[in-house]
Amino acid sequence: MAVVKRYCFDCHDSDIQKGDLNLQELLEKGIGGHSDVWEKVVRKMKARQMPPIGKKRPDEKTYHQTVAGLSAALDREAAKNPNPGRTETFRRLNRTEYQNAIRDLLEVQIDAAALLPKDEASHGFDNVTVGMLSSMLLDRYISGAQQISRLAVGTPLKEVGGETYRIPADVTQEYHVEGLPIGTRGGTVIRHTFPQDAEYEFQIRLARDRNEEIEGLNGTYQLEVLIDDERIELFTVAPPKRRGDYESVDGKLKIRVPVTAGLHEVGVTFLDHTSALLERKRQPYAAAFNMHRHPRLSPAIYQVSINGPYDAEGPGETPSRKKIFIATPESPSEEDGCAEKILSNLMRRAFRRPATKEDLEQAMGFYRDGKKEGGFEAGIEMALSSILVSPEFLFRVEADPKGVAPGTVYRVPDLQLASRLSFFLWSSIPDEELLETAIRGELSDPEVLTAQVRRMLADPRSQSLASNFAGQWLYLRNLDSLMPDVRLFPDFDDNLRQALRRETELFFESILREDRSVMDLLQADYTFLNERLAKHYGIKGVYGTHFRKVALAPETHRGGLLRQGSILSVTSYATRTSPVIRGHWILGNLLGSPPPPPPPNTPPLKEKTISSRLSFRERLAEHRANPACASCHNIMDPVGFALENFDALGRWRTHEDGLPVDASGGFPDGSKFVGVDALEKALLGRPDLFVGTLAEKLLTFALGRGIEGYDAPAVRKIVKEAEGDDFRFSSVIIGVVNSTPFTMRKSMP
C-alpha cells in the first residue's frame, strides 16, 4: 500500500480526512470489515479520478498494478465471506412485466399503460421501487383483472363496448406506414382483440386544424380499411358540398362487418396518388403534421373507433381459450373436475410454482360463485379474475427458507431462480420448460442454468432486453417527451422520434442476437435505418419506411451508440446541445463513474447575462469560474465537448453560428482528445470500465436493487470471465446469471 501512502495521504490522512475519509486509519486496520470503503477507492482510481488533476499522480503502470492488487485482495476477502445482498421479499410486477405476463399466460394483448399508473424509477430502472400496493392501484388491478378475464374467456358483454385509438398529433402522414400495403400513405395499424365472433363497427375521424376544418382536404382521396391485410372497405373522401360542413365528410366513414374472435390487425390508410406526390416534392421539410410545423398536404387519420360486439355468435376458437380450456366437460357432472384441471394449470403458470391444495380451494370457491350466476365458463372467468389479483401473481415473492438463521447466506431455491431468470431476460413469467426444470430441482446446476440462458436468449421474448433494459439504460424512454424548438428544428416529428428509438433498439438487439462483443456497442460499421432517419443523417440510397441493416462509410460519422440520434437528442436541450448532460451520461452510463451531485445552492448557467458573443464553450468556462461549479463541471464538460460535432438532434455539423465547432475534450484522468473518433478510441482502450458498467446495469435490472460495494467482486468476475470470450454478449449475461448476487441471497438479520 506504499502507493496509497505516497499519493493519497496528502488529503486522506488522520489530520486532513477530506470527505471524512481517513485512509491512514483504514490501512492500519486492514481490508477486512472495511471493503465498502476500499471498493470506493478502487472505483475512483480505476476511473483515474483520484488523485485530482493538479496533484501528484502515479503513472499508468502504477495505477494498473495498484488497482489490480487492491481488487485481488478485496476478491479474496469476498470469497471468504460472500455477501450476495438481499432483494426485497415482495416486489410487485411493474407495468411492462404485468403486460408481458398477461400475454404469456393468456395470449391476451393489453396496454398496461392504459390500465396502470407509471412506475417510478430508482437506480435507473422501474423494477426497483415496486414494493407497495396502494388502494388506488389495487382498484386498478381488480378492474383490469375483470376486463382481461372477460376478454380471455370470451364472455358476452351485457352492453356494447368500444375502444378508440388515436394517432399522435405530431405524426406526419404523407408517407407509407410500415405494416400497411405498398401504394398507401399515412394511417395506422392497430392490434385489437375482438372478444367474440360477431359484427363490429369501425368509425374513422380525420385530423382537423384549430378551426375544426379537415386539414389537407384539397381533392378526392381513397381511404382503405383492412383486417389482417384484406380490404373490407374503400371510402371516398372529398371536400364537403357545403362550406364548413366537415362532419358530413368523416361522418360517413363508418362500416359494420363480421369479425372472428381473437387478435387481429386493423389497418386504416389512404391510397397514394400522383398529386400528393407532386405536392411533397415541392415541400422542403420532411415534417408536415399540423399548423405548428407545416400545414398537412393531404388529409390524415385522427382516430379509429372499434365498437361491438353486435349480434354475437359465440366466443370462437381463440388462442386464449385454447390456453385456458385444457379440459372440456361433456356433462354437468364433469364440470368441477375440469375446473380443477383448468385452474391448477393457470395457477401453476401465474404463481410460477405448482398450485397447492389451499390455492385450489380458494380458486374453486370463486368458480362456484360464478357458476351459480352464469354457468361453467362464467365460473372459470370469476376464478381467473381472482388469480389475476392474487398477491402470488402480482408480486414476486422471495421469502427466506424455513429454519435459516438470521443473516445467513443461502442459495436461491430453483423456483425463485426461475422467476429471477425469466423476469431478467424476458420481463415475463417462466415458460413451461423453465418451470418444469426448476420443479425437478435441476436449475441450480450451473450447466443446466447456462443452457437455459442460451435457450431463452434465442427466444423472441428476449427482445425485451432491447426495449425494456436498453430502453431505460440508454434513456430511450425519454424520447417520448422530446420536443425540440419548432423554430430551430422544423423537420422534427413523431416519425423521426420513433425512428431514432427504433435504430438504437435494433442495433442493441443485433449485438445480442448475433452474440457479438459488447464493445461493438461503442463502435460499429453498420446501423439500422429507414428513409426518414437516413434523410435526417444525410445518408443517401435508403428508401422506404422499413428498417434495414446499412453498412456505413467513415464519412457518414455514424456507427456506435455515441453517434446515434436517440442518445444525442435525449442528452440535449430543446434549443441546443448540452456538453454537461452528455458528459454526465457518458460518465454514469458507460464508465460507471458519475460526478457527485451538485452542492446546495449551486447557481444555474446564466446564459442571458453572459455575453452572446462568446461561444457556448466560453460561456461554460465562465460558469466553471465559480468554485462551487468547477468541481463537477471540470469532470463532465470536457467529456461532453467531444460530441459537439453532433447538434441537438444528432445531425453532423462542422460549424455552429458561423464558427468552426471545437470538439476538443478529455477525461477526468487528464487525457485529452478531439472529437467522437478519439472519444470512442479512449473508451475502447478501457474495456474493463465499459463492460464493468454494463454488468452493473444488468445486475441492477436483474436483481431489482441498487448495486452496492459488496457486489463489486462479482462484477469483476463477470468482466474477467467475459474477457476470455471476447466480451460476447452471452458471456456477460451468463456471468450475471451465475454470479453470487443472482444465485444467492442473505436472510433477514
Side-chain angles (χ1 to χ4, degrees), residues 599 602-604 623-637:
T602 300
H623 188 60
R624 290 197 301 274
N626 186 328
C629 306
S631 60
C632 295
H633 284 273
N634 285 339
I635 296 174
M636 297 183 294
D637 298 0

Side-chain angles (χ1 to χ4, degrees), residues 536-727:
H536 180 70
Y537 287 160
I539 297 176
K540 298 180 180 179
V542 179
Y543 302 102
T545 56
H546 67 285
F547 275 80
R548 79 296 308 260
K549 189 176 183 179
V550 177
L552 299 170
E555 56 267 24
T556 63
H557 306 291
R558 300 295 157 184
L561 292 175
L562 292 178
R563 302 169 183 262
Q564 295 185 4
S566 58
I567 290 164
L568 294 162
S569 297
V570 298
T571 53
S572 295
Y573 289 120
T575 57
R576 60 166 174 81
T577 62
S578 174
V580 179
I581 299 176
R582 287 177 175 178
H584 190 285
W585 187 90
I586 292 170
L587 291 171
N589 289 48
L590 302 186
L591 298 177
S593 54
N601 303 318
T602 300
L605 176 62
K606 298 180 180 179
E607 295 190 60
K608 295 182 180 179
T609 59
I610 297 177
S611 174
S612 61
R613 295 181 181 179
L614 298 177
S615 68
F616 186 64
R617 178 185 287 267
E618 292 169 324
R619 279 178 269 168
L620 272 177
E622 292 278 336
H623 188 60
R624 290 197 301 274
N626 186 328
C629 306
S631 60
C632 295
H633 284 273
N634 285 339
I635 296 174
M636 297 183 294
D637 298 0
V639 183
F641 275 127
L643 298 179
E644 275 296 277
N645 279 120
F646 297 101
D647 72 6
L649 284 183
R651 295 176 297 192
W652 182 261
R653 63 184 182 179
T654 57
H655 288 74
E656 181 187 16
D657 297 332
L659 299 174
V661 169
D662 182 357
S664 58
F667 276 144
D669 62 2
S671 59
K672 304 295 182 184
F673 45 75
V674 179
V676 64
D677 291 335
L679 172 58
E680 284 179 346
K681 184 178 180 180
L683 292 171
L684 291 168
R686 296 294 307 278
D688 55 324
L689 287 178
F690 174 68
V691 181
T693 302
L694 175 59
E696 287 183 354
K697 299 294 183 181
L698 286 166
L699 263 177
T700 301
F701 180 75
L703 297 174
R705 66 167 175 82
I707 297 302
E708 304 293 344
Y710 49 73
D711 297 308
V715 172
R716 286 192 288 269
K717 184 178 180 181
I718 293 168
V719 174
K720 184 177 180 180
E721 292 180 350
E723 184 179 13
D725 194 26
D726 193 30
F727 296 118

Side-chain angles (χ1 to χ4, degrees), residues 75-105:
D75 291 345
R76 288 192 296 271
E77 186 68 24
K80 290 188 294 183
N81 301 288
N83 182 1
R86 178 180 175 82
T87 55
E88 294 291 337
T89 301
F90 293 94
R91 290 178 50 228
R92 177 177 50 81
L93 304 191
N94 63 20
R95 287 199 310 196
T96 301
E97 294 166 341
Y98 180 81
Q99 178 170 306
N100 292 346
I102 293 296
R103 175 200 66 196
D104 295 339
L105 178 67

Side-chain angles (χ1 to χ4, degrees), residues 98 102 105-106 141 145 149 324 339-352 355 359-360 362-364 366-367 379-395:
Y98 180 81
I102 293 296
L105 178 67
L106 299 172
Y141 277 123
S149 301
I324 294 171
E340 290 183 355
K341 292 179 181 179
I342 290 170
L343 297 178
S344 294
N345 180 62
L346 286 171
M347 285 186 288
R348 170 190 169 96
R349 292 291 315 285
F351 297 169
R352 287 86 73 184
D359 294 330
L360 186 57
Q362 187 174 30
M364 286 297 291
F366 285 99
Y367 158 76
I380 296 296
E381 180 196 324
M382 183 171 286
L384 176 56
S385 292
S386 73
I387 292 171
L388 297 183
V389 294
S390 168
E392 297 289 337
F393 173 67
L394 294 179
F395 285 84

Side-chain angles (χ1 to χ4, degrees), residues 208-226:
R208 285 162 164 73
D209 60 19
R210 293 174 176 175
N211 300 318
E212 284 299 305
E213 296 183 356
I214 295 177
E215 294 182 293
L217 192 54
N218 49 26
T220 301
Y221 298 82
Q222 301 295 308
L223 178 65
E224 186 177 32
V225 182
L226 310 101

Side-chain angles (χ1 to χ4, degrees), residues 60-198:
E60 191 59 29
K61 181 180 179 181
T62 304
Y63 260 122
H64 180 77
Q65 291 176 341
T66 304
V67 170
L70 189 52
S71 297
L74 288 165
D75 291 345
R76 288 192 296 271
E77 186 68 24
K80 290 188 294 183
N81 301 288
N83 182 1
R86 178 180 175 82
T87 55
E88 294 291 337
T89 301
F90 293 94
R91 290 178 50 228
R92 177 177 50 81
L93 304 191
N94 63 20
R95 287 199 310 196
T96 301
E97 294 166 341
Y98 180 81
Q99 178 170 306
N100 292 346
I102 293 296
R103 175 200 66 196
D104 295 339
L105 178 67
L106 299 172
E107 291 285 348
V108 172
Q109 299 284 343
I110 65 167
D111 179 10
L115 289 175
L116 304 171
K118 182 179 179 180
D119 300 295
E120 295 298 324
S122 178
H123 300 282
F125 298 97
D126 64 2
N127 64 343
V128 176
T129 55
V130 285
M132 301 300 292
L133 183 61
S134 65
S135 57
M136 181 274 290
L137 190 55
L138 179 59
D139 288 342
R140 294 281 192 96
Y141 277 123
I142 293 173
S143 175
Q146 292 170 344
Q147 296 177 39
I148 293 165
S149 301
R150 188 182 305 118
L151 195 61
V153 173
T155 304
L157 297 172
K158 295 181 180 179
E159 56 185 43
V160 172
E163 194 162 354
T164 296
Y165 299 89
R166 286 182 179 155
I167 300 178
D170 58 345
V171 171
T172 293
Q173 296 189 45
E174 303 299 332
Y175 306 94
H176 174 258
V177 173
E178 191 169 9
L180 289 170
I182 299 298
T184 63
R185 62 119 192 126
T188 186
V189 179
I190 300 165
R191 290 170 59 82
H192 182 81
T193 300
F194 295 81
Q196 291 196 303
D197 291 348

